[in-house]
Amino acid sequence: MENKALIEELLEKGKQAGFEDMEVYIQGSSSMDIKVFKGELDKYTIADGEGMSFRGVYNGNMGYAYSEKVDSSSVDMLIEGAKQNASVIEDEDKEFIFGGSESYRKVESYNPELEKVDTSKKIDFAMELERVALSLDERVESVSTCLYGESSGYSVLVNSKGLVLEDRSNMAYGYISVKVKDGDDIKTADRYVLSNDFSKFDISQLAKEAVDEAISMIGAKSVESGDYEIVLRNDVAASLVDSFEGIFSAEAVQKDLSLLKGKLGEQIAVPELTIVDDPFLENGMGSTGFDSEGVATVYKKLIENGVLKTYLHSLKTAKKDGVEPTGNGFKGYKSSISIAPTNFYVENGSHSFEDIIKSVKRGILVIDLQGLHSGLNSVSGDFSLSAYGYLVENGEISRPVNQITVAGNFYKLIKEIEMIGNDLEFILPGNIGSPSIKIKSLSVAGE
């Protein structure tokens, strides 16, 4: 274990200063960003960061402090900072240092081969991605954004109760946004790939998907206002799920910020809907064997066959509800514990995307929702979002559609799901996913 002597020094001095239970958390990360523009390298940056936090129980309260220096010069400052912090804490729900779970499942989320790929190949990837996109169709006017990025990180958690945990992960992504022009009609589209396996970065596929989608939107116009059958493409469904993921947080429930309060064991969605938090998902960007409190993560179904089964818990919220923690207490070295999912997704259904489209008599396939951070209310579940996609008539896509607003309520929506696809996809940053979903009806404002 790196920094073993530093951690021992911090815990020993903390004990001498009067702390009872203590925890040291060290976190480091590195990243690389490559951007190309018009065949030239427009940006190439490498960044590294590291820091450590100390928290401990002092006079009955949990005190917390952090430093961006991972060395002995930070020890005294961390201890004094945590003492001062503990003296002003007035939270009635006491935090505590966890002694450790009975066992931890080993999770592999670090691929050393990614960092062995020469940087020149990663630059070539971005260069070639831009070149291929520009060559696919004469209507491709420009590639506005073409990126390759990767990051890696590690964390070490050690506490005075004998718990020692270490984790390491890495990931990379490629992203392209293209602009096409046909007369005065200009459309854009973007696509991405996400993995820690560089061999999965398919330039031709990524470029073609972006260009095809942009061209398919040429000639788009609005539709008459009314209620339509709605198909949310997998990435769009994932974006909507992402926006409402916070309602499953036990902290939100306990603070009356989620209408899921008091609904455990109740049927809140159609029987076909199951939502999972899976920390062991192979190649999952959120895969980990433990959370930032040292609690072993567990696979769990939050909604199973439409029934609400559990919330996501930290140690504090679990203690308050008298239940077992779920391993969802996460933090950075600069932040205190908050509740977050690992790999959070809607389970695949049994329908192909093509079968879902064929089932639509008169509806809209939505391929983009805009304003997800301002056009919805995560407490009430209401949303009203600009969107675009395609009009679907008698089971076939008939034409592109834009300048529409789709409105509804998330809690009602999950009761009106008619079909769930088998095309699960995760969206950036990579730990929230969904297959395509068909909804009975939503209000669409258009012409």
Side-chain angles (χ1 to χ4, degrees):
M1 179 178 65
E2 294 184 17
N3 299 305
K4 181 179 180 181
L6 172 63
I7 293 169
E8 290 176 347
E9 178 187 0
L10 191 47
L11 292 176
E12 179 58 32
K13 286 195 174 182
K15 182 179 179 181
Q16 293 171 7
F19 281 91
E20 301 165 37
D21 299 331
M22 297 166 283
E23 174 195 276
V24 180
Y25 185 75
I26 299 177
Q27 188 179 47
S29 64
S30 63
S31 64
M32 176 171 64
D33 292 295
I34 294 168
K35 181 180 180 182
V36 300
F37 186 68
K38 293 186 176 179
E40 296 186 358
L41 184 61
D42 189 51
K43 177 184 178 183
Y44 174 65
T45 59
I46 294 177
D48 296 297
E50 195 175 43
M52 67 176 177
S53 63
F54 171 81
R55 66 174 184 152
V57 179
Y58 186 79
N59 290 336
N61 288 330
M62 183 71 77
Y64 171 84
Y66 75 88
S67 171
E68 295 180 348
K69 286 186 175 181
V70 184
D71 58 38
S72 294
S73 67
S74 300
V75 170
D76 292 339
M77 182 276 290
L78 285 170
I79 292 172
E80 186 59 31
K83 284 175 67 174
Q84 292 179 11
N85 181 245
S87 68
V88 298
I89 292 294
E90 295 180 352
D91 192 345
E92 293 180 357
D93 301 321
K94 301 293 185 184
E95 291 186 36
F96 59 95
I97 301 297
F98 185 56
S101 299
E102 187 173 330
S103 62
Y104 295 87
R105 181 167 165 177
K106 186 173 177 58
V107 175
E108 296 290 348
S109 53
Y110 178 75
N111 179 9
E113 298 303 314
L114 179 62
E115 296 181 13
K116 294 178 182 176
V117 178
D118 194 88
T119 300
S120 63
K121 291 186 177 180
K122 297 167 182 174
I123 295 174
D124 289 346
F125 165 82
M127 291 283 191
E128 184 67 3
L129 180 59
E130 182 190 53
R131 189 197 67 76
V132 171
L134 288 168
S135 71
L136 286 175
D137 193 290
E138 61 182 11
R139 290 169 290 181
V140 179
E141 185 178 70
S142 64
V143 173
S144 52
T145 307
C146 187
L147 304 171
Y148 172 85
E150 66 179 47
S151 64
S152 64
Y154 77 92
S155 61
V156 178
L157 186 154
V158 179
N159 69 32
S160 57
K161 291 186 173 180
L163 187 63
V164 179
L165 296 169
E166 297 182 75
D167 187 38
R168 195 175 189 190
S169 62
N170 61 356
M171 60 85 75
Y173 68 93
Y175 173 88
I176 186 167
S177 175
V178 302
K179 181 168 74 173
V180 301
K181 185 177 182 181
D182 189 345
D184 294 331
D185 198 352
I186 297 174
K187 293 292 183 291
T188 62
D190 58 10
R191 299 302 289 172
Y192 56 85
V193 59
L194 184 68
S195 176
N196 63 6
D197 183 350
F198 190 72
S199 67
K200 294 183 177 179
F201 282 45
D202 188 326
I203 291 172
S204 297
Q205 179 181 347
L206 192 59
K208 188 175 187 305
E209 287 180 353
V211 171
D212 285 353
E213 182 166 306
I215 289 175
S216 74
M217 290 304 299
I218 290 175
K221 58 182 181 179
S222 190
V223 295
E224 184 179 347
S225 298
D227 292 337
Y228 288 80
E229 296 173 82
I230 295 292
V231 177
L232 301 176
R233 194 173 65 182
N234 49 15
D235 56 333
V236 174
S239 295
L240 194 63
V241 168
D242 185 20
S243 298
F244 287 100
E245 164 269 315
I247 65 175
F248 294 93
S249 160
E251 185 172 18
V253 172
Q254 292 171 359
K255 290 181 177 178
D256 293 326
L257 296 175
S258 169
L259 295 183
L260 295 181
K261 184 174 184 176
K263 298 287 182 64
L264 286 176
E266 292 188 14
Q267 189 85 32
I268 64 166
V270 294
E272 290 77 14
L273 182 67
T274 294
I275 295 180
V276 172
D277 185 61
D278 181 3
F280 312 124
L281 181 69
E282 188 174 359
N283 300 320
M285 294 299 117
S287 296
T288 179
F290 59 92
D291 69 6
S292 302
E293 296 182 296
V295 178
T297 52
V298 293
Y299 173 93
K300 51 202 164 289
K301 294 183 176 179
L302 293 112
I303 296 178
E304 182 175 17
N305 299 326
V307 177
L308 181 63
K309 290 294 188 179
T310 184
Y311 307 123
L312 300 175
H313 279 283
S314 65
L315 283 171
K316 186 170 74 172
T317 61
K319 183 179 180 182
K320 188 171 183 177
D321 278 2
V323 299
E324 290 295 316
T326 59
N328 291 98
F330 290 100
K331 66 176 181 178
Y333 72 88
K334 291 183 180 181
S335 60
S336 55
I337 293 292
S338 60
I339 294 176
T342 58
N343 299 296
F344 184 91
Y345 59 92
V346 175
E347 259 190 3
N348 265 330
S350 58
H351 302 281
S352 70
F353 178 75
E354 291 75 18
D355 285 343
I356 291 176
I357 296 299
K358 287 178 183 175
S359 74
V360 177
K361 186 175 181 181
R362 178 176 177 270
I364 293 175
L365 165 61
V366 179
I367 65 169
D368 193 74
L369 284 175
Q370 300 169 324
L372 282 163
H373 297 292
S374 58
L376 57 80
N377 185 324
S378 61
V379 177
S380 68
D382 292 333
F383 60 86
S384 180
L385 303 164
S386 297
Y388 60 81
Y390 310 99
L391 182 65
V392 182
E393 298 174 295
N394 299 318
E396 294 185 355
I397 293 174
S398 58
R399 66 172 176 87
V401 171
N402 64 359
Q403 298 179 4
I404 60 172
T405 300
V406 177
N409 178 278
F410 183 76
Y411 295 100
K412 183 179 178 183
L413 181 151
I414 58 178
K415 292 179 180 176
E416 297 190 346
I417 292 173
E418 289 191 332
M419 301 174 78
I420 298 177
N422 56 9
D423 55 348
L424 173 63
E425 178 164 313
F426 287 83
I427 58 171
L428 292 172
N431 69 323
I432 307 288
S434 175
S436 298
I437 290 175
K438 180 188 174 188
I439 302 155
K440 182 179 180 181
S441 175
L442 284 178
S443 174
V444 174
E447 295 176 333

